[in-house]
């Protein structure tokens, strides 16, 4: 059977919550879902690096793990040289985007399929031309899609059996957990929903690690036999070592396959890494592809802000993750939709507030802004100064409702009142008042 590996499981849908997620940490995409559906505020500042498939495969190669070989190409002109290095006569052309569902995706040009089986080198070149430089839209990218800047030209393997394997972090187990299924090559969330008996888990003691015997037993439980079981176990232990050595929060192989020539191969791979470990994983984090990320989120990170774009039209500028979540909840309570999660933190400067305001104003979906500040550590006058500074640079062409409470709230209110924008800044007595006002103004 020829696998195009066009439906990797892993990154959750941007628009829907996933059915199966064992890890305790959340990626930015998962965080968006948490915020959209009002889940725990405790997750608000957990972010994780997601890397391209080819990056994960290069990492596996360094650890001696058998994976689907291939080469990255940035232009179609590089494809003939890539195919010449591969041992097979057929090839798989894979768009490199940070989302799953590539095989079933559609490009903005109308071309269908972000993963293609190429019978010849010429086909590989033609498919690459249709992918590179265009936007691929899948069920995980959202309607805006992601631009394809690289393709992975891979060997085409004959596959006799597909499995699913992942190593995740889960608080319930206090550390890593193996997750596997004999139903590989398909959406694992669907398997968990329709055939939960085919999902197997095995906790790993973080102090003892994954032993060869444990890995072999797990491989056999999934259905691997004889030499295949031994090779699968070997790959599992090596993948576990990658996870520990590189501070990964998730390694997901789908499909994890057997071939007739006795190989056990990682066909598709998804790796997430803990942002908190970026200081000691510089080589890994150098592989981050900011072109695949929301430019507003990249700008916010550079400014030291906690920002995540959502799909509403009421922007929020708040200090504190819990208050930010409460602010978004109350906007929804009164019939509005938040456009972002934005926490300026307790020690924000006027410059950071200015940066936050600019980021908000750059969102074309935003129709109004709610500024909600509780001055505990953060001073209300600093927020006011930042808002005025940003307004002078960007202008104000939409309603802005401001609720200030706590440290220096009178001073902050005075700064706003005496500014040239006083007629465009609407004061609110409390959070209920603020939410009702901004929702009402944005509905006009």
């Amino acid at each position: 059977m020829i696998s195009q590996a066009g439906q990797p499981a892993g990154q959750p849908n941007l628009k829907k919550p996933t059915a199966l997620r064992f890890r305790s940490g959340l990626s930015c995409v998962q965080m968006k879902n948490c915020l959209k559906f009002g889940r725990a505020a405790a997750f608000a500042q957990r972010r994780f690096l997601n890397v391209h498939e080819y990056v994960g495969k290069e990492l596996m190669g360094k650890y001696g793990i058998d994976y689907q070989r291939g080469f990255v190409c940035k232009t179609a002109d590089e494809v003939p040289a890539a195919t010449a290095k591969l041992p097979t006569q057929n090839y798989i052309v894979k768009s490199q985007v940070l989302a799953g569902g590539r095989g079933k995706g559609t490009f903005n040009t109308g071309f269908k399929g972000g993963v293609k089986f190429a019978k010849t080198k010429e086909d590989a070149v033609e498919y690459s031309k249709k992918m590179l430089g265009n936007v691929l839209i899948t069920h995980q990218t959202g309607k805006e899609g992601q631009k394809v800047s690289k393709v992975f030209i891979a060997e085409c393997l004959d596959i006799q059996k597909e499995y699913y394997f992942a190593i995740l972090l889960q608080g319930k187990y206090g550390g890593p957990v193996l997750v596997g299924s004999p139903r590989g090559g398909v959406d694992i969330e669907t398997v968990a929903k329709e055939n939960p008996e085919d999902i197997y888990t095995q906790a790993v003691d973080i102090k003892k690690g994954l032993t060869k015997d444990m890995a072999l037993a797990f491989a056999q439980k999934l259905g691997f036999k004889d030499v295949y079981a031994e090779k699968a176990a070997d790959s599992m232990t090596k993948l576990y070592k990658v996870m520990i050595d590189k501070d990964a929060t998730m390694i997901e192989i789908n499909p994890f396959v057997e071939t007739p020539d006795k190989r056990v191969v990682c066909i598709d791979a998804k790796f997430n890494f803990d942002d908190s470990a970026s200081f000691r994983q510089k080589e890994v984090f150098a592989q981050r592809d900011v072109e695949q990320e929301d430019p507003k989120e990249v700008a916010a990170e550079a400014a030291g802000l906690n920002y995540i774009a959502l799909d509403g039209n009421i922007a929020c500028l708040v200090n504190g993750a819990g208050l930010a979540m409460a602010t978004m909840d109350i906007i929804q309570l009164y019939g509005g939709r938040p456009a972002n999660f934005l926490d300026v933190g307790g020690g924000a400067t006027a410059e950071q507030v200015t940066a936050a305001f600019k980021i908000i104003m750059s969102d074309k979906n935003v129709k109004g802004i709610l500024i909600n500040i509780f001055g505990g550590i953060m001073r209300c006058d600093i927020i006011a100064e930042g808002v005025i500074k940003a307004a002078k640079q960007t202008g104000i062409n939409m309603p802005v409702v401001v609720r200030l409470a706590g440290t220096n709230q009178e001073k902050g209110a005075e700064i706003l009142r005496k500014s040239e924008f006083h007629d465009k800044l609407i004061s609110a007595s409390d959070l209920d008042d603020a939410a009702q006002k901004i929702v009402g103004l944005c509905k006009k």
Side-chain angles (χ1 to χ4, degrees):
M1 180 174 66
I2 302 298
S3 173
Q4 296 187 20
Q7 185 64 31
Q11 182 156 323
N13 194 318
L14 283 169
K15 301 301 180 184
K16 300 177 182 178
T18 58
L20 174 67
R21 273 295 161 261
F22 291 92
R23 57 192 178 278
S24 59
L26 299 182
S27 67
C28 286
V29 178
Q30 290 171 296
M31 179 59 208
K32 291 181 181 182
N33 284 335
C34 287
L35 295 175
K36 286 180 186 178
F37 295 96
R39 296 179 186 169
F43 293 123
Q45 300 191 53
R46 297 187 183 183
R47 303 183 68 153
F48 298 85
L49 173 70
N50 185 13
V51 297
H52 285 294
E53 171 195 1
Y54 75 87
V55 176
K57 287 185 171 178
E58 289 173 357
L59 195 53
M60 287 192 288
K62 293 178 181 179
Y63 279 75
I65 299 165
D66 196 355
Y67 66 94
Q68 182 188 38
R69 266 59 177 180
F71 299 92
V72 179
C73 298
K74 295 181 180 179
T75 68
D77 291 339
E78 297 174 2
V79 174
T83 58
K85 297 176 186 177
L86 294 172
T88 58
Q89 298 301 309
N90 307 127
Y91 314 94
I92 304 297
V93 182
K94 309 172 93 173
S95 299
Q96 296 298 285
V97 294
L98 298 178
R102 294 173 297 173
K104 296 181 180 179
T106 301
F107 285 87
N108 58 328
T109 59
F111 180 65
K112 295 185 181 300
V115 177
K116 287 290 189 181
F117 166 64
K119 292 183 178 180
T120 65
K121 296 179 180 180
E122 291 73 22
D123 286 345
V125 172
E126 287 304 309
Y127 287 140
S128 298
K129 288 180 179 178
K130 292 179 180 180
M131 294 178 185
L132 288 165
N134 294 315
V135 176
L136 178 62
I137 302 163
T138 78
H139 71 286
Q140 291 188 4
T141 63
K143 61 183 179 181
E144 66 278 3
Q146 291 184 0
K147 184 178 179 180
V148 177
S149 300
K150 303 180 185 74
V151 292
F152 187 69
I153 308 299
E155 61 181 335
C156 187
L157 301 176
D158 190 9
I159 295 170
Q160 63 184 22
K161 182 74 172 73
E162 295 180 304
Y163 302 85
Y164 171 91
F165 177 71
I167 310 174
L168 314 171
L169 292 181
Q170 187 184 17
K172 176 182 176 182
Y173 292 94
V177 58
L178 309 182
V179 182
S181 175
R183 294 175 178 264
V186 296
D187 183 5
I188 195 63
E189 281 83 1
T190 301
V191 176
K193 181 179 179 180
E194 298 178 358
N195 304 97
E197 69 279 2
D198 287 332
I199 300 290
Y200 299 95
T201 62
Q202 174 65 56
V204 179
D205 187 326
I206 191 70
K207 296 180 180 179
K208 297 179 180 178
L210 179 62
T211 66
K212 182 177 180 181
D213 289 343
M214 286 176 60
L216 182 59
F218 194 74
Q220 291 170 338
K221 184 183 292 186
L222 298 185
F224 287 100
K225 300 182 185 304
D226 304 322
V227 67
Y228 289 113
E230 293 177 4
K231 290 188 175 182
D234 182 64
S235 290
M236 289 177 183
T237 55
K238 289 175 179 176
L239 286 166
Y240 182 84
K241 182 171 175 54
V242 174
M243 187 170 197
I244 299 301
D245 288 354
K246 300 300 181 180
D247 292 293
T249 58
M250 178 189 76
I251 295 179
E252 188 170 47
I253 309 299
N254 190 27
F256 188 37
V257 309
E258 297 177 356
T259 66
D261 57 349
K262 305 299 183 182
R263 290 174 66 187
V264 174
V265 187
C266 299
I267 295 293
D268 216 334
K270 180 166 182 60
F271 286 65
N272 283 353
F273 301 90
D274 187 350
D275 277 1
S276 299
S278 60
F279 71 96
R280 64 173 172 241
Q281 301 295 349
K282 297 186 184 302
E283 184 178 351
V284 170
F285 279 78
Q287 300 290 342
R288 178 183 178 189
D289 187 351
V290 295
E291 291 184 2
Q292 295 271 314
E293 300 178 27
D294 188 323
K296 297 187 295 298
E297 294 181 6
V298 174
E301 183 179 346
L305 302 168
N306 295 307
Y307 173 91
I308 296 176
L310 300 174
D311 57 6
N313 63 356
I314 299 176
C316 308
L317 193 160
V318 189
N319 66 317
L323 187 59
M325 295 292 286
T327 301
M328 290 187 291
D329 283 345
I330 201 164
I331 286 173
Q332 290 183 306
L333 178 65
Y334 286 111
R337 292 187 303 128
N340 64 269
F341 168 92
L342 199 166
D343 168 23
V344 298
T349 63
E351 288 70 27
Q352 285 178 302
V353 175
T354 300
F357 204 80
K358 286 183 177 180
I359 291 167
I360 286 173
M361 295 291 284
S362 70
D363 188 341
K364 63 182 179 180
N365 295 321
V366 170
K367 304 301 181 186
I369 302 172
L370 172 55
I371 299 173
N372 182 26
I373 300 299
F374 178 77
I377 301 174
M378 187 74 242
R379 290 162 40 194
C380 294
D381 56 313
I382 296 294
I383 293 291
E385 289 173 0
V387 169
I388 299 305
K389 184 176 180 180
K392 287 180 179 179
Q393 296 179 27
T394 65
I396 297 179
N397 58 1
M398 63 183 68
V400 179
V401 175
V402 183
R403 180 254 182 172
L404 300 176
T407 305
N408 289 356
Q409 70 180 72
E410 294 83 4
K411 188 176 180 181
E414 184 180 2
I415 291 172
L416 296 176
R417 190 166 52 249
K418 291 183 176 180
S419 76
E420 61 189 279
F421 303 101
H422 67 275
D423 58 331
K424 297 180 180 180
L425 301 172
I426 303 161
S427 296
S429 58
D430 56 34
L431 185 50
D432 276 300
D433 182 41
Q436 291 181 70
K437 283 180 176 177
I438 194 62
V439 171
L441 288 166
C442 288
K443 286 185 176 181
K444 290 182 178 180

